[in-house]
Amino acid sequence: MSYAISGAYYNEGSGREGPFDRLKEECGIFGVFGYKDASTLTYYGLHTLQHRGEESAGICVSGGDSFRYHRGMGLVKEVFDAERLAELGGDRAIGHVRYSTSGDSRLANAQPLVFKTRDGELAVATNGNIVNAPHIRHGLEQKGSIFQTTSDTEVIAHLIARSEHDFVQAAKEALKELVGGFAFLLMTNDRLLAASDPHGLRPIVMGRLGDAYVFSSETCALEAVGAELVRPLEPGELVVVDAWGHRSERFAPGAKRSLCAMEFIYFSRPDSQLHDVNLHTARKHMGMQLAEEAFVDADIVTGVPDSSISAAIGYAEKTGIPYEMGLIKSKYTGRTFIQPSQELREQGVKMKLSAVRSVVEGKRVILIDDSIVRGTTSRRIVNMLREAGAREVHLRIASPPFRHPCFYGIDTPKSEDLLAHMHTEEEMRKLIGADSLAFLSKEGMIEAIGGSYADKPSGGLCLACFDDDYPTELYGARATAGSEAASVRR
């Protein structure tokens, strides 16, 4: 077992703001049961999920005897090497990549969290947020529980440990107490459990690789390790895997499915599949729908890389306006970017993005982006295109205005820091400096995503960040940050 790290890591000291105001997902999870080299398989799975969290990574492995685990700060490739993986022998494992959304970016909160209980060892990894965690934690502390981390994930371990029932029943009872958006992987020496919250807010899928069972936040990780997709977990479902195979149980009745819309808009990789819909296809259709709703005549269409490229292609295809690579994203962020000088920090966007002058100079440019948070990035990119000689810049957003904070595991600022919450569309246009600005409608987004849930309420999506209609109780989460505004995050 090892908790030690040495030296600086990938994004140490980069802070929450930095040069960008992009939303950040909390984490990604990956698990396997019944595969000879479980640690290596989990490593590749986590590497594929790296976009979901870049601050820490961890893997816990068992061969049916005792746990072997390692966690560290930084990227998966920095935390693990061949020698380290060779020390993690076993045929079952769970892994985690994390982005901490508020404070406490420290090793103690890196997952999987590992505990000793009277019934043996327990490892826990989760994606999402438990909105009633502070309430549960307070009650447990009153009863004598001592918490080792500031992570909301730890509450489930204490609930399980205090139960008088067997592990599976204890897990079901613990999960039933949690409110929020979450996908859990729980591992003992002889079982692996996977669970989805009653609304299915956070994605988790099950796959097969030969005789092994594989679980992942996204299907792209299944593809990367050669596993076949079986199905996504149902809301309120608990899948139990052991030496005799797998079985499905319920810890809560399935509520209205409300998968986070931002998974379709921004978070998940374009080669992943959600709600039986390919992400690239959904984003392309969003761009096409945006073209129908907010056409503007121009010379070229370009997208903010990488998440907006699919929508930009759709917009261009629908309008017949040529798609051009007007912006280039740097594929390498070295350690020199960890703590740049103030001068470089002010030019931060140019370190990551650059405009192609020969493409945009003298042109009327339609700039496609997936969302606007604070508006600072949008303003910088519009200015960058103008500095490169663009004659006009028309900004089109392939999602509705982001007006309300998320309480289910996305790093969002307070409502008063969200540009769309505080300003009209025209005011936003002026602040950003675009010649025109338009958003995709909520109805258009649902229609564009489509899939088997298109005829369900809200298209089977959580749209709270757009319409303030949260699928769960919030247990005072609005007030915790001192305004209507901020979410309680791990």
Side-chain angles (χ1 to χ4, degrees), residues 172-184:
K172 290 169 70 173
E173 290 180 350
L175 289 164
K176 194 179 300 184
E177 289 196 39
L178 308 183
V179 176
F182 53 81
F184 269 101

Side-chain angles (χ1 to χ4, degrees), residues 25 27 52 126-131 178-184 195-204 217 232-237 251 254-264 267-268 274-275 405-410 458 460-465 469-474:
E25 174 65 91
C27 48
R52 301 185 72 89
T126 187
N127 170 32
N129 187 68
I130 303 166
V131 296
L178 308 183
V179 176
F182 53 81
F184 269 101
S196 174
D197 72 77
H199 292 272
L201 280 152
R202 294 284 143 232
I204 181 170
S217 292
L233 269 64
E234 292 296 318
E237 182 182 14
F251 68 89
K256 182 185 77 172
R257 182 183 284 275
S258 302
L259 178 61
C260 174
M262 291 306 297
E263 294 284 351
F264 286 93
F267 291 125
S268 293
L274 292 171
H275 277 198
C406 177
F407 299 90
Y408 305 119
I410 296 175
S458 300
L461 304 173
C462 174
L463 305 172
C465 54
D469 184 13
Y470 295 90
T472 75
E473 293 184 56
L474 297 180

